[in-house]
Amino acid sequence: QYTIFVEEHCLTRQSPWSNTVLTLHTSAPLRAEPKKKKKVDPKREHVARERLKKRLKKLEKVPPELIPIEDFITPTKCLDEARGRSEPRLPFEESERRALLLKEWSRFKHAQHTAEMEAINLALDAQREALEELKIESEELYKAAIKPDPLVFPFSHEGPCYTPPKPKYDAPDGKYHDITKVYTQ
Amino acid sequence: MTPLFPLLNSSAARTCGRGKMSAPVVKMAGRCFYQLYKLSNSAGRLASGKTGIRQFSGAVVKNAAEPWRLLGAACVQRLAVISADQRPLEAKFSELMNQMELERSLMSDHELRLLDDKERLRRRQAVDYDSDEEEEADRDQDIVLTQDLEDAWEQRLKGFATQPRARGVVDARLERADRCLAEPLLLLTQQEVGPERLWMLPQTPWEAGETLKTTAQRALSATPGLDLQTVFLGNAPCGLYKYRMPRSVRDREGLTGVKVFFFKAVVSGPLPPPAPSSLWVRQSELKDYLKPSYLEKIRPFLLNL
């Protein structure tokens, strides 16, 4: 029987090495001396640890899995043939009407766009003229006008809806169950 | 109306330097005249010896020999609250788009269920119907038809009362800010200019030590009884209206003319109750209230398309 006294900074693990190294009779005189460790041991342990670290690094070098883009994956529901509609065979008048309507619409939209562009240019001209006149009048006021206004942004305005707002309407809280997939790498 | 016409008019008015000129002048002639006017101005200044910059309590004002009174005005717009009615072409096109989208789409779960129900009903009503042949699962499914579901949803929608879009009585009253919800409105107030009271955008003279934007904000808050929450869009003026004083006033007070700088603002927050001597007008009604030369200078930056 032998008692093994281990000092605080030593590992208390029962490694296979300890059987060979520490099968010493630890008696009172031995306890007083500091433990003699072979210089090879820490070196060997150090080398082993480095080898393990290298193996870990090699495993970790695998590129991370790409997060799939949900919008690019066609859900299998859409590929079901039973969902397809029968091709409508349009009569000649209907197809003609559609073509003419599309052309009229493009003409209308083009006119709308040119009118918008022109209106914007006129507004810019008016502003430029005002700033020029202001510069003639007073340099300080002109500099104050040129300065960007930090309070304007963020600017938000509720756009037009179909019906006017109800006075004192309490909208009911909507319940929703969020099922968005969150990917982590 | 060809697009060139307003361009010529406004540029001519600008280059001639006289707000009251109404006849359309050819652009080139107008520009030459303006250059001559500028030259004569500078020559006059050099001759009289009143060149240079004179301090006017805070702000540096050039043109000391030719003082112009500065005014700040606020162009406040109440934007549209409801969408405008569709034009016939727009209505036809939106209908066509819906039709084409439907034709090119796949059937949804709801539609498949409708078809299944129809099929089951047809099978049940067939002459040689044998209820034992029916599949186990389908037998219990005749409790709620998809058509009943649709009817229930429609009833629920009808049960929700919305505000009417067209309100003729309210639209006729010009003092109300909630008239003509489909169109943007402009705020006009009555101001005393010289001997007469005119309808125009709220304006007030500039005081030393403040920017023109603050002048415009002050002009807005000075209108009696108006309780508005606005957002002023930026520090720069959006337009200018200037006119020269008649010779008598010029000689008497030494004032060459008046320059009014407009600042755009948008109504934010709740709509205000009607206030005395203030109107909310649509762009089509502006010509009934504003002077033609004034309106000509305002129109470019209103952008009511």
Side-chain angles (χ1 to χ4, degrees), chain A residues 142-153, chain B residues 213 234-236:
Chain A
Y142 174 75
K143 281 198 187 129
I146 291 283
K147 241 189 264 183
D149 190 3
L151 300 173
V152 170
F153 296 113
Chain B
K213 184 182 162 187
N235 283 332

Side-chain angles (χ1 to χ4, degrees), chain B residues 100-259:
Chain B
M100 284 172 78
E101 252 189 61
L102 189 69
E103 282 166 15
R104 293 177 191 184
S105 66
L106 295 171
M107 290 203 270
S108 60
D109 292 338
H110 182 78
E111 283 195 79
L112 286 178
R113 244 182 305 166
L114 274 168
L115 283 177
D116 278 341
D117 284 351
K118 234 184 270 178
E119 181 63 35
R120 214 177 298 129
L121 220 74
R122 192 192 57 80
R123 253 186 286 145
R124 218 167 275 192
Q125 284 162 1
V127 182
D128 54 343
Y129 176 63
D130 190 1
S131 63
D132 299 327
E133 273 179 17
E134 194 81 26
E135 280 172 24
E136 195 59 48
D138 292 351
R139 214 174 291 179
D140 309 321
Q141 275 192 25
D142 56 356
I143 302 167
V144 179
L145 279 178
T146 330
Q147 196 61 48
D148 298 336
L149 274 174
E150 278 193 355
D151 292 335
W153 295 335
E154 209 169 315
Q155 283 304 311
R156 211 166 138 202
L157 177 66
K158 281 190 191 152
F160 179 79
T162 53
Q163 293 280 90
R165 271 167 65 87
R167 301 121 49 121
V169 179
V170 180
D171 288 353
R173 309 280 309 279
L174 279 132
E175 329 74 69
R176 297 188 63 145
D178 56 351
R179 68 183 285 255
C180 303
L181 291 172
E183 294 174 59
L185 302 176
L186 193 63
L187 176 69
L188 293 183
T189 49
Q190 225 170 15
Q191 313 255 318
E192 278 185 22
V193 173
E196 40 189 78
R197 282 179 75 85
L198 298 169
W199 284 108
M200 55 174 63
L201 299 175
Q203 67 188 35
T204 192
W206 170 77
E207 281 163 19
E210 63 175 6
T211 56
L212 278 166
K213 184 182 162 187
T214 5
T215 321
Q217 282 167 333
R218 194 161 49 87
L220 191 59
S221 52
T223 36
L226 198 62
D227 174 32
L228 263 185
Q229 277 178 37
T230 50
V231 174
F232 271 79
L233 308 172
N235 283 332
C238 58
L240 167 81
Y241 176 62
K242 68 179 185 183
Y243 58 91
R244 309 190 106 231
M245 292 297 195
R247 190 163 277 281
S248 56
V249 179
R250 229 184 302 164
D251 296 332
R252 203 183 344 127
E253 293 176 27
L255 192 72
T256 327
V258 169
K259 285 188 185 175

Side-chain angles (χ1 to χ4, degrees), chain A residues 119-133:
Chain A
I120 290 169
N121 283 325
L122 286 176
L124 285 175
D125 287 341
Q127 190 177 52
R128 202 183 313 126
E129 183 206 344
L131 284 169
E132 277 168 11
E133 293 282 337

Side-chain angles (χ1 to χ4, degrees), chain A residues 66-119:
Chain A
L66 296 169
I67 300 174
I69 302 171
E70 304 273 349
D71 295 336
F72 289 178
I73 308 165
T74 325
T76 40
K77 266 212 276 184
C78 300
L79 304 167
D80 189 5
E81 273 199 15
R83 288 181 184 260
R85 288 183 207 271
S86 53
E87 286 277 327
R89 251 162 289 147
L90 296 169
F92 174 72
E93 289 90 15
E94 178 61 25
S95 61
E96 273 293 297
R97 180 194 81 95
R98 285 190 183 188
L100 290 170
L101 184 57
L102 286 165
K103 290 186 181 180
E104 209 184 319
W105 178 254
S106 81
R107 258 180 272 133
F108 168 72
K109 271 308 207 185
H110 175 71
Q112 207 179 50
H113 181 257
T114 34
E116 258 178 43
M117 287 291 120
E118 214 194 286

Side-chain angles (χ1 to χ4, degrees), chain A:
Chain A
Q1 273 239 324
Y2 48 85
T3 50
I4 303 170
F5 286 87
V6 183
E7 291 174 78
E8 279 171 2
H9 55 268
C10 289
L11 294 167
T12 51
R13 232 184 308 135
Q14 287 288 310
S15 61
W17 316 53
S18 57
N19 286 327
T20 49
V21 169
L22 292 173
T23 43
L24 297 161
H25 282 280
T26 52
S27 47
L30 243 175
R31 260 178 269 141
E33 276 181 34
K35 244 207 206 143
K36 284 178 195 161
K37 287 183 218 156
K38 293 188 189 164
K39 275 193 181 170
V40 192
D41 270 350
K43 222 182 183 181
R44 279 163 97 180
E45 281 177 36
H46 191 65
V47 161
R49 240 180 277 148
E50 269 187 13
R51 244 182 270 154
L52 282 170
K53 275 187 197 163
K54 268 192 187 171
R55 275 195 210 135
L56 269 171
K57 272 188 197 169
K58 273 194 184 168
L59 285 170
E60 276 169 14
K61 266 189 190 171
V62 169
E65 203 182 295
L66 296 169
I67 300 174
I69 302 171
E70 304 273 349
D71 295 336
F72 289 178
I73 308 165
T74 325
T76 40
K77 266 212 276 184
C78 300
L79 304 167
D80 189 5
E81 273 199 15
R83 288 181 184 260
R85 288 183 207 271
S86 53
E87 286 277 327
R89 251 162 289 147
L90 296 169
F92 174 72
E93 289 90 15
E94 178 61 25
S95 61
E96 273 293 297
R97 180 194 81 95
R98 285 190 183 188
L100 290 170
L101 184 57
L102 286 165
K103 290 186 181 180
E104 209 184 319
W105 178 254
S106 81
R107 258 180 272 133
F108 168 72
K109 271 308 207 185
H110 175 71
Q112 207 179 50
H113 181 257
T114 34
E116 258 178 43
M117 287 291 120
E118 214 194 286
I120 290 169
N121 283 325
L122 286 176
L124 285 175
D125 287 341
Q127 190 177 52
R128 202 183 313 126
E129 183 206 344
L131 284 169
E132 277 168 11
E133 293 282 337
L134 186 58
K135 197 169 188 183
I136 294 170
E137 278 303 308
S138 149
E139 196 64 46
E140 238 184 56
L141 286 175
Y142 174 75
K143 281 198 187 129
I146 291 283
K147 241 189 264 183
D149 190 3
L151 300 173
V152 170
F153 296 113
F155 177 78
S156 74
H157 178 76
E158 294 278 312
C161 302
Y162 189 67
T163 50
K166 265 182 156 182
K168 293 179 202 159
Y169 175 65
D170 216 3
D173 287 330
K175 283 180 282 185
Y176 61 92
H177 181 49
D178 201 0
I179 55 164
T180 41
K181 292 186 186 162
V182 177
Y183 294 94
T184 46
Q185 283 196 323

Side-chain angles (χ1 to χ4, degrees), chain B residues 27 40 44 60 65 79 226 249 280:
Chain B
K27 209 171 170 180
S40 62
V60 175
L79 301 172
L226 198 62
V249 179
W280 295 93

